[in-house]
Amino acid sequence: MQVQIPKKQLSDALSSLERVVPSRSSNAALTQLKVSSTERGLALSGTNLEIDLEILVEAQINDGSDFVVPAHLFAQITKALPGELVELHLTGSELTVASGGATFKLQTGELGAYPELSFPTHSDLTLDAKEFARSISSVRYAAAAEEFRAIFRGVQMELSPQRSRLVATDGFRLAYRDFPASSTLEARKLVIPARNADELIRVLKDGEVKLTISNGTLSVSSDRVRLNAKLMDGELPDYERVIPSSSNVTIQLDSAALRESVSRVAVVADKLSNNKVEFIAASGKLQLVAESDYGRAQDVLEVQQSGTEPAITVGFRAKQLIEALGPIEGEVTIGLGMNSPAVFRASNDPGYLAIVNPLRV
Amino acid sequence: MQVQIPKKQLSDALSSLERVVPSRSSNAALTQLKVSSTERGLALSGTNLEIDLEILVEAQINDGSDFVVPAHLFAQITKALPGELVELHLTGSELTVASGGATFKLQTGELGAYPELSFPTHSDLTLDAKEFARSISSVRYAAAAEEFRAIFRGVQMELSPQRSRLVATDGFRLAYRDFPASSTLEARKLVIPARNADELIRVLKDGEVKLTISNGTLSVSSDRVRLNAKLMDGELPDYERVIPSSSNVTIQLDSAALRESVSRVAVVADKLSNNKVEFIAASGKLQLVAESDYGRAQDVLEVQQSGTEPAITVGFRAKQLIEALGPIEGEVTIGLGMNSPAVFRASNDPGYLAIVNPLRV
């Protein structure tokens, strides 16, 4: 086999695969990468049994064949090559990687020991890749890092004939984003493990992406990338009932300015007080206050204020505020309640909603 | 007290001080920063008892006074401020830090508990700051990270009427750089702990720097910065005798190209072989080879070759080669010996020399 392939494209593909393929495993075959010759170029694939990933790279192939090589070493070698074009040459079980005067010789692995990866050939749904990735990343922060209930460590995707929604919650806060993709499938909910959701965000770039749901697996495929992600069993508990339908005070202001102000006063907040930042809304002003043994910080922002009460004081964890505001560009509308969670909406984008529980005083 | 001070300058000074002042200490006074009002502005000083650092920041001061504040908190607050001008206001023991609408209130510490820092008023030697910093950083890598003999963890400065030299060695490799500063002092050697040397490199920027040696301390001062660095007891053993006076083969080539080539082939080298990269010099070519269970890498570079032998093969640790070549711009001249250390010189700069011991085959 003899292959000529542009270094940059090969190197980019290997970077994506390096994140999926484990560098160590009790099953040594999993640390390998499979390289297959196809009519459209070289197909590079790897798996950690949670995610299967295949990336296609255009190449000039003579006398194509398939082989497996140690994934991380092959990636490092490729990055270190001096030239712009890489030549691969397979002789027996030895792979020669040559470029710009440098030559590497690698032992290939046992092709038969490599797990069979299969990607679906039909699709259930077509989405805009960028919009889908943006929706996942808007809610991903609200998933639990560690939680007694595993389901909270996932991102739920809801498909229905009317709309699609991504939602995540750790039981204390919540974020969802709706997007207008309609599905011909019957209404259903699937929960993607957060780690797999992160990989989806990274892999989805431009153009269209086709989704297939089958057998506990979400498969996505675009022109150059195919990915299978294992799903979790079960679904999130009914979260709609915890979204407050009304608030005592509603304020509207620039999201970025509020995020900066929270970060600023949070400097003096400490763990003893749960890194608490207090919102004091009154007379068209939002005062932010944080306090600890070390000192006291205060900042004031102008807001548009409405509601049934003239004033309100509520405390939040600084980090939860910053994360809830993160996906909101432009103005944010915040509904504050005396005894209820705060609701964050993007003023110009009805699709996004976040809920943050206040700290007890 | 009332002070107006540009945020950027205050913030830069605090960043330097943050590196020196410990964030925790059994002596709580050491986590503080002293702020003194002087005729030239605010003098900010801190210490970890190994290094004392004072930085002067221009400021507009009314009714000046001295106080101490928690160093890291004050630095974080300053960085978080929204405005370009910072106002400091001391009322009793409470410091108010205000800028662009945000207000922080901090409890100041006990001024009497803060250690007295004293900087010398005379100087023994004047140097170009940039040249001095460059000389230290050219040799710093050769100091030991951990070693049975503490003295190897320092950088030795040699002063004599003829020249000044910085030298470091871990007992296996060595680097020195000479620079033309003549001293009126009698010839002497001082060993700066590597950590203190790192701080010197960071603090020395432009212009002239005055050096004072007294009482186990090296003091440097420039227009805006004063620093005392504790010295180590003792001096490096006589290293001149391990520098080979001749070589079997001498090669000359571009330093950056060689460094890249070493990094490249080192990708397949592994710890079992000490990350060995072999130099095979013959017939005006330098072949670089690395090998492990995973594969074999080879690269070839054109060199100018001379010497008493037609060819030579020597193996080195990849990292030691890369570090020895680091300070050399342009061409490097390497003297290779059958049974002696390799000598690296900058072809156009007689001041720098590095020695790397080959690996036994």
Side-chain angles (χ1 to χ4, degrees):
Chain A
M1 187 201 74
Q2 203 154 9
V3 176
Q4 285 203 324
I5 189 163
K7 180 191 151 184
K8 172 142 190 7
Q9 280 85 318
L10 179 59
S11 175
D12 287 352
L14 289 170
S15 293
S16 296
L17 282 155
E18 260 190 307
R19 284 200 311 267
V20 170
V21 177
S23 56
R24 285 156 198 231
S25 170
S26 53
N27 178 356
L30 291 184
T31 65
Q32 307 264 327
L33 186 83
K34 184 170 171 183
V35 181
S36 310
S37 299
T38 77
E39 284 174 11
R40 295 177 58 211
L42 277 194
L44 309 171
S45 54
T47 183
N48 57 24
L49 301 183
E50 277 290 302
I51 295 186
D52 308 332
L53 177 63
E54 183 195 80
I55 303 181
L56 192 78
V57 184
E58 276 177 48
Q60 195 181 313
I61 304 174
N62 291 322
D63 189 16
S65 65
D66 296 357
F67 59 91
V68 297
V69 278
H72 291 266
L73 185 61
F74 187 41
Q76 283 168 38
I77 284 174
T78 301
K79 276 174 211 159
L81 290 171
E84 289 185 5
L85 204 64
V86 180
E87 292 196 33
L88 305 177
H89 196 94
L90 188 66
T91 319
S93 66
E94 190 178 70
L95 177 72
T96 304
V97 184
S99 177
T103 310
F104 290 85
K105 289 185 189 299
L106 283 178
Q107 271 314 113
T108 58
E110 202 186 326
L111 190 59
Y114 198 74
E116 188 77 33
L117 307 182
S118 81
F119 298 92
T121 49
H122 75 287
S123 71
D124 297 327
L125 187 66
T126 301
L127 296 175
D128 179 74
K130 221 178 230 168
E131 182 65 29
F132 184 42
R134 175 170 163 258
S135 298
I136 303 172
S137 59
S138 306
V139 306
R140 194 277 175 236
Y141 73 86
E146 277 181 53
E147 198 49 54
F148 52 98
R149 289 186 61 186
I151 201 74
F152 288 138
R153 295 198 295 262
V155 174
Q156 179 164 287
M157 183 171 183
E158 301 174 10
L159 298 170
S160 78
Q162 291 76 42
R163 61 151 172 75
S164 301
R165 169 178 287 180
L166 272 312
V167 54
T169 177
D170 60 6
F172 300 96
R173 56 173 172 174
L174 177 144
Y176 71 63
R177 186 184 282 282
D178 294 338
F179 60 102
S182 64
S183 156
T184 56
L185 297 171
E186 53 181 317
R188 61 199 300 174
K189 295 174 181 172
L190 15 138
V191 182
I192 310 163
R195 190 176 171 259
N196 296 1
D198 290 338
E199 212 46 57
L200 274 171
I201 295 169
R202 288 206 192 90
V203 159
L204 296 169
K205 294 270 157 65
D206 294 308
E208 288 198 326
V209 59
K210 292 187 166 66
L211 265 62
T212 314
I213 299 130
S214 63
N215 209 7
T217 301
L218 171 69
S219 300
V220 303
S221 75
S222 71
D223 199 33
R224 318 182 61 76
V225 176
R226 297 198 289 179
L227 183 150
N228 300 322
K230 281 265 187 306
L231 297 173
M232 298 172 88
D233 289 330
E235 60 183 59
L236 290 179
D238 176 23
Y239 56 84
E240 302 258 13
R241 63 182 173 75
V242 304
I243 303 173
S245 53
S246 67
S247 62
N248 299 110
V249 171
T250 300
I251 55 173
Q252 190 174 335
L253 71 164
D254 183 63
S255 173
L258 177 55
R259 219 160 56 224
E260 277 167 33
S261 180
V262 171
S263 308
R264 189 177 301 140
V265 299
V267 168
V268 298
D270 64 5
K271 277 187 193 155
L272 273 181
S273 69
N274 288 309
N275 292 109
K276 183 166 83 169
V277 170
E278 248 176 8
F279 279 13
I280 304 165
S283 316
K285 286 195 196 306
L286 175 67
Q287 199 176 48
L288 291 94
V289 176
E291 225 168 338
S292 70
D293 286 353
Y294 309 114
R296 184 174 197 277
Q298 181 185 309
D299 205 0
V300 181
L301 299 169
E302 304 278 331
V303 299
Q304 285 173 263
Q305 184 180 338
S306 60
T308 56
E309 300 289 331
I312 195 167
T313 298
V314 202
F316 302 98
R317 285 183 172 79
K319 186 163 174 268
Q320 294 195 350
L321 289 174
I322 291 166
E323 291 181 336
L325 291 165
I328 300 178
E329 288 172 21
E331 297 264 304
V332 57
T333 305
I334 308 175
L336 299 167
M338 298 292 191
N339 296 301
S340 59
V343 183
F344 295 74
R345 294 175 200 272
S347 308
N348 306 315
D349 173 4
Y352 176 76
L353 177 140
I355 287 186
V356 177
N357 254 314
L359 287 162
R360 302 282 157 220
V361 185
Chain B
M1 186 201 72
Q2 201 153 11
V3 175
Q4 285 203 323
I5 189 164
K7 180 190 152 186
K8 171 137 190 11
Q9 280 85 318
L10 178 59
S11 176
D12 287 352
L14 289 170
S15 293
S16 296
L17 282 155
E18 260 189 308
R19 285 199 311 268
V20 169
V21 177
S23 56
R24 284 156 198 231
S25 170
S26 54
N27 178 357
L30 291 184
T31 65
Q32 308 264 327
L33 186 83
K34 184 171 173 184
V35 181
S36 311
S37 298
T38 78
E39 282 173 14
R40 295 177 58 211
L42 277 193
L44 309 170
S45 53
T47 183
N48 57 25
L49 302 183
E50 277 290 303
I51 296 186
D52 308 332
L53 177 62
E54 182 194 80
I55 303 181
L56 192 77
V57 184
E58 276 176 48
Q60 196 182 314
I61 304 173
N62 291 323
D63 189 16
S65 66
D66 296 358
F67 59 92
V68 298
V69 278
H72 292 267
L73 185 62
F74 187 42
Q76 283 167 39
I77 284 174
T78 301
K79 277 176 209 158
L81 290 171
E84 289 184 4
L85 203 65
V86 178
E87 291 196 33
L88 305 177
H89 196 95
L90 189 66
T91 319
S93 66
E94 191 178 70
L95 177 72
T96 304
V97 184
S99 177
T103 310
F104 290 85
K105 288 185 190 299
L106 282 177
Q107 270 315 112
T108 58
E110 202 186 325
L111 189 60
Y114 199 74
E116 188 77 32
L117 307 182
S118 80
F119 297 92
T121 49
H122 75 285
S123 71
D124 297 327
L125 188 64
T126 301
L127 295 175
D128 179 74
K130 221 177 227 169
E131 182 66 27
F132 184 41
R134 173 168 165 259
S135 299
I136 303 172
S137 59
S138 307
V139 306
R140 165 34 183 128
Y141 72 86
E146 277 182 52
E147 197 50 54
F148 52 97
R149 288 186 62 186
I151 200 75
F152 288 139
R153 295 198 296 261
V155 174
Q156 179 164 290
M157 183 171 182
E158 302 174 11
L159 298 170
S160 79
Q162 291 75 43
R163 60 149 172 78
S164 301
R165 169 178 288 180
L166 273 312
V167 55
T169 177
D170 60 6
F172 299 97
R173 56 172 173 174
L174 177 144
Y176 71 63
R177 186 184 284 280
D178 294 337
F179 61 102
S182 64
S183 157
T184 55
L185 297 171
E186 55 182 314
R188 60 200 299 174
K189 296 175 181 173
L190 16 137
V191 182
I192 310 163
R195 191 176 171 259
N196 295 1
D198 291 338
E199 212 47 56
L200 273 172
I201 296 169
R202 288 206 192 91
V203 159
L204 295 170
K205 293 269 157 63
D206 294 308
E208 288 198 328
V209 59
K210 292 188 166 65
L211 266 62
T212 314
I213 300 131
S214 63
N215 209 4
T217 301
L218 171 68
S219 300
V220 304
S221 74
S222 71
D223 199 32
R224 318 182 61 75
V225 175
R226 296 197 289 178
L227 184 150
N228 300 322
K230 281 265 186 309
L231 297 172
M232 298 172 87
D233 289 329
E235 59 183 61
L236 290 179
D238 175 25
Y239 55 86
E240 301 258 13
R241 63 183 173 74
V242 305
I243 302 173
S245 53
S246 67
S247 61
N248 299 110
V249 171
T250 300
I251 55 173
Q252 188 173 336
L253 72 164
D254 183 64
S255 172
L258 178 56
R259 219 159 58 223
E260 278 167 32
S261 180
V262 171
S263 309
R264 188 178 301 140
V265 300
V267 168
V268 298
D270 64 4
K271 277 189 192 156
L272 274 180
S273 70
N274 288 310
N275 293 307
K276 182 166 82 170
V277 169
E278 248 176 10
F279 279 13
I280 304 165
S283 314
K285 286 195 197 307
L286 175 67
Q287 199 176 48
L288 290 94
V289 176
E291 225 167 337
S292 69
D293 287 352
Y294 310 113
R296 183 172 197 278
Q298 183 185 307
D299 205 359
V300 180
L301 299 170
E302 305 278 332
V303 299
Q304 285 174 263
Q305 184 181 338
S306 59
T308 56
E309 300 290 330
I312 195 166
T313 299
V314 201
F316 301 98
R317 286 182 170 80
K319 187 164 173 266
Q320 295 195 349
L321 289 174
I322 291 166
E323 289 180 337
L325 292 165
I328 299 177
E329 287 172 22
E331 298 264 304
V332 57
T333 305
I334 309 176
L336 298 167
M338 298 292 190
N339 296 301
S340 59
V343 183
F344 295 73
R345 293 175 202 271
S347 308
N348 306 316
D349 173 5
Y352 177 76
L353 177 141
I355 287 186
V356 177
N357 254 314
L359 287 163
R360 303 282 157 218
V361 185

